[in-house]
Amino acid sequence: MGKTPPTGPRKPNPKSGYSSEQMRRYFTEPKYRDEMYLRSKNFFKKYWYAFAGGGAFVIILFVVFMKLVFAGLPSLEQLENPKPELATKVFSYDGEVLGQFYLKNRTYVSFDKIPKTTIDALISIEDKDFYSHWGVSPWRFVKAMVKNLIALRFKEGASTITQQLSRNLYNLKAAQENSFDKMTRKIREFITAVQIERTYTKKEILEMYLNYIYLGRGAYGISAAASIYFDKSAQDLTLAESSLLIGMAKGPFYYDPVRHPDRAFARREIVLSQMVKYGRLSRIEADSIARDSLRFTADDALTLTGLAPHFVENVRQQLLQKSDQYGFDIYKDGLAVYTTIDSRMQKYANRAVEEHLADLQAAFDSTWDWKANVEILNKALDKSIQDIISSRKTTTHAESDSITRALRSNPAFVDSVKKVWQKIEVGLIVIDPHTGSIRAMVGGANFRSFKYGLNHTTQIQRQPGSAFKPFVYTVAIDNGYPPTFELLNQPVTLMMEDGSRWTPGNFDGTIGGKYTLREGLRESINLIAVRAIMEIAPKNQVVEMAHRMGISTYIPPFESIALGTATVKPVELTAAFGVFANEGVYVQPVSILRIEDKDGNTLEENLPEQREVMSKETAYIMTTMLQDVVDHGSGGRVRHFFHFPAAGKTGTTQDYADAWFIGYTPQLAAGVWIGFDDQQVKFTSSDGQGGRTAAPLWGRVMKYIYEDQSIPITQEFFEKPDGVVVDTICADTKKLATQFCPKRMAEVFNVKYRPSSCDKHTSANWKEGEENPNEIKF
């Protein structure tokens, strides 16, 4: 008789989950075993779909996960042809970098231009087994993943140089990542790194890594970092410098050597120690390098806008207009743009403007009285407050009133508005009249902080005042009238198209007598210019001449243009005066000489557009007349600074709103405009005349340029063409002198239009006061 099975609970076997009695019966009683088998079979038969579904679910999850992983991998095309975002660089005529356009400040540098010590530092600190692995280090990867699983969070990355490159090259890292994202990204990096190693050599990988790595302050790559931190090229980096930059890769902001020098140099110590550890540097050398505290060019207190920010912005606008034509992106395609700016001349222009405006602004501030200009102040406050309100899109009417009241009652705000509105602005441009090349440009008083805004050489249009008179006199000379031709300095009244009367006058209010064309231009006598446009230089011809000389703005065909009532741009007026220096040939101003792509292929090369607009003879005669303006007339303050041959003309508009001086030498044409952004703010006295305000700045910049012996002066004097002769004239009759003329003077003439001989002093018996029957009376 069998033994009765014990009743009550049995203690299960800890290994199998069954009790010992159940295990005994299973192995000793076939019937019980069959029963258990049928019971298990029925269980699995009953729930097989649950197991199958669970398994399928796991498989689907795995497939979806791997699909997600592979969806984020770079394509074969991307692997084989990575396209780094490269900065476009703007170069001066003499090879200086003027500025860059970029989303990422990166300049690609080849492996052979990277110092070996930089490579050694990188490998020592980031991936000592770089030359022996195949993109990943499985042992490091597994070790890191185990640590992550134990910590239940993503704690360690274990990335090789190639894995880091895959992350930087193909943007595998998202802006914000959770642990799942990080794990997914590491798998992608793992796969991509292997593919990179199969596609590129070790040198190519190192080259790409050092060109893609971010090193702080907007610097992507070792070349940009070398420039920003040390103002040098990557190939000139010392180990003291490169080891610091390599160390920063772990945390560019945390190890910023300017903000956090202690952290940066401590990190450099670790890099050097690793180099010693792996035999790439001796301990003595490391200790010596560690004592080098370095000198940095990056400075938080200085916003580096470059040497010629207004010019660079002008170039940027031109490139954007060309981008559709050539299909380039100036922020990503790494163009090289070669320009006309001479960095030496630009430095002198900046210096001259800074020096001149310091004195001029102080003098103006001492005379300008806001109490006497309340209407202007109210306009200034209204405009400034409106700008603030407009920037707040959700502001209600009640809020606007509240803001207005608060700001108007705030003394600090009012003072800030006053300061902005009474700020003197400037536009200074220097052009080579023979090539059209813009050699220097200062587009505003804010050139040290300018990035975007108004360029006062290319974008403003202002009345030039008397600086427009040379166009009238040019037409007269070109029409065959000699510089000795005389006009009456008498008042005139003209009927305008609107029925009003225009009665121009001279600046000093004087009238009377006769003046030659030379004298009228030299003394800037308004009535002589007006009579010239009325009698010998028809207004339509003046308009046509101005346009042929490069003025593109609208010029109304009225006699008033003789006094500069039409608006012009400083750059165009300056180029127009360059026609005189270039023997009557106009050359359109140019700023971009050549554009190259990142591989050095030329996309565009610019040759100056030029045309002959007047004879050499007319150009030279006008030059001699404009020389008189500088040497003996309204432009005399140029001679306080500059003493080489020069010609030019001053200009002053109504109530001293604008001050001009446009002049030239045999080599350079330069224009100066000085005024205010709001034309209601004006100079308060005759100190605002062009001869007193603008001419001295012109003299300063030319003085500095010509004193620099590295800038060659190829032609010291204006060359007289063969068609011009120098004759002696009678100072009284302004005709060719006879041997009996008591006072004589030299004058230049076009050989085609020489005057007749003096008909007053015809014999030795001539006496003062005696009438000459042949004398022409006016």
Side-chain angles (χ1 to χ4, degrees), residues 125 250 255 265-275:
I125 192 66
K250 184 177 181 181
Y255 295 110
F265 286 110
R267 177 65 177 167
R268 184 178 71 172
E269 279 289 320
I270 296 175
V271 175
L272 295 174
S273 296
Q274 289 295 99
M275 294 182 71

Side-chain angles (χ1 to χ4, degrees), residues 52-306:
F57 181 72
V58 171
I59 294 173
I60 290 172
L61 279 181
F62 179 76
V63 171
V64 170
F65 175 72
M66 293 309 296
K67 188 174 182 179
L68 178 66
V69 168
F70 281 96
L73 294 176
S75 65
L76 181 61
E77 170 66 19
Q78 288 176 307
L79 279 170
E80 295 180 348
N81 299 289
K83 295 180 179 180
E85 294 183 5
L86 302 177
T88 289
K89 285 192 173 183
V90 180
F91 295 93
S92 69
Y93 183 72
D94 50 335
E96 296 289 326
V97 177
L98 296 176
Q100 299 184 91
F101 311 127
Y102 54 82
L103 299 176
K104 293 182 178 179
N105 183 7
R106 179 186 289 117
T107 302
Y108 209 87
V109 59
S110 61
F111 183 85
D112 58 359
K113 291 184 179 180
I114 301 173
K116 183 178 182 301
T117 51
T118 303
I119 302 295
D120 290 343
L122 171 64
I123 293 175
S124 297
I125 192 66
E126 292 292 341
D127 191 355
K128 64 182 179 63
D129 299 320
F130 174 73
Y131 285 110
S132 60
H133 65 61
W134 35 275
V136 294
S137 176
W139 172 243
R140 286 176 61 186
F141 184 79
V142 171
K143 182 180 177 182
M145 292 303 103
V146 170
K147 289 184 178 180
N148 294 335
L149 290 173
I150 293 174
L152 295 178
R153 63 185 178 88
F154 194 86
K155 181 179 179 182
E156 186 172 328
S159 294
T160 64
I161 285 177
T162 314
Q163 285 176 276
Q164 293 178 52
L165 173 61
S166 68
R167 180 194 316 148
N168 295 330
L169 199 59
Y170 305 109
N171 297 317
L172 297 181
K173 184 176 181 179
Q176 294 182 339
E177 292 182 324
N178 53 35
S179 295
F180 176 78
D181 294 331
K182 290 179 181 179
M183 189 70 70
T184 304
R185 191 241 307 163
K186 292 306 297 183
I187 296 174
R188 287 173 180 159
E189 288 178 11
F190 191 102
I191 298 171
T192 305
V194 174
Q195 291 283 37
I196 288 175
E197 289 275 346
R198 293 177 60 186
T199 307
Y200 297 101
T201 66
K202 292 290 187 180
K203 284 185 177 181
E204 290 171 333
I205 292 171
L206 289 171
E207 177 182 306
M208 287 191 289
Y209 180 91
L210 286 169
N211 278 288
Y212 275 83
I213 188 172
Y214 181 64
L215 294 171
R217 293 182 177 264
Y220 287 82
I222 195 73
S223 180
S227 176
I228 288 175
Y229 291 102
F230 303 112
D231 193 23
K232 59 171 59 176
S233 63
Q235 63 185 16
D236 295 326
L237 286 172
T238 65
L239 180 54
E241 296 162 340
S242 61
S243 58
L244 182 134
L245 294 178
I246 293 299
M248 288 172 59
K250 184 177 181 181
F253 181 83
Y254 186 83
Y255 295 110
D256 186 301
V258 178
R259 297 188 184 98
H260 310 295
D262 293 342
R263 299 175 188 172
F265 286 110
R267 177 65 177 167
R268 184 178 71 172
E269 279 289 320
I270 296 175
V271 175
L272 295 174
S273 296
Q274 289 295 99
M275 294 182 71
V276 172
K277 178 179 178 180
Y278 297 117
R280 295 185 173 96
L281 190 70
S282 70
R283 185 73 260 173
I284 295 176
E285 290 173 320
D287 292 340
S288 176
I289 292 170
R291 289 192 291 271
D292 189 342
S293 59
L294 304 179
R295 181 179 179 182
F296 303 101
T297 57
D299 188 347
D300 278 340
L302 179 63
T303 301
L304 298 176
T305 59

Side-chain angles (χ1 to χ4, degrees), residues 650-724:
T650 56
T652 309
T653 57
Q654 193 75 19
D655 297 329
Y656 312 113
D658 304 275
W660 298 77
F661 185 82
I662 312 295
Y664 56 96
T665 70
Q667 297 81 30
L668 299 171
V672 174
W673 168 87
I674 294 178
F676 302 87
D677 279 338
D678 190 283
Q679 290 179 279
Q680 285 187 285
V681 182
K682 304 172 182 179
F683 292 101
T684 56
S685 69
S686 58
D687 286 339
Q689 288 179 294
R692 299 184 181 185
T693 299
L697 174 54
W698 194 97
R700 276 182 193 266
V701 69
M702 285 298 171
K703 173 181 183 290
Y704 297 150
I705 290 173
Y706 274 68
E707 283 178 346
D708 189 335
Q709 298 299 313
S710 70
I711 301 176
I713 303 301
T714 57
Q715 178 186 338
E716 294 187 4
F717 301 96
F718 296 105
E719 293 185 356
K720 180 175 70 67
D722 294 337
V724 172

Side-chain angles (χ1 to χ4, degrees), residues 444-459:
N446 62 337
F447 67 88
R448 288 199 174 275
S449 59
F450 176 85
K451 190 167 182 64
Y452 305 110
L454 186 63
N455 186 326
H456 294 84
T457 65
T458 61
Q459 293 178 316

Side-chain angles (χ1 to χ4, degrees), residues 590-626:
V590 61
S591 51
I592 298 175
L593 294 174
R594 189 173 72 258
I595 303 172
E596 294 181 356
D597 65 16
K598 64 182 179 62
D599 298 317
N601 301 311
T602 299
L603 301 179
E604 178 180 284
E605 192 161 11
N606 292 314
L607 297 175
E609 296 183 18
Q610 50 186 300
R611 58 179 177 269
E612 184 176 343
V613 297
M614 69 183 72
S615 67
K616 294 180 181 180
E617 291 76 16
T618 296
Y620 181 78
I621 292 172
M622 282 301 303
T623 291
T624 65
M625 294 168 65
L626 291 168

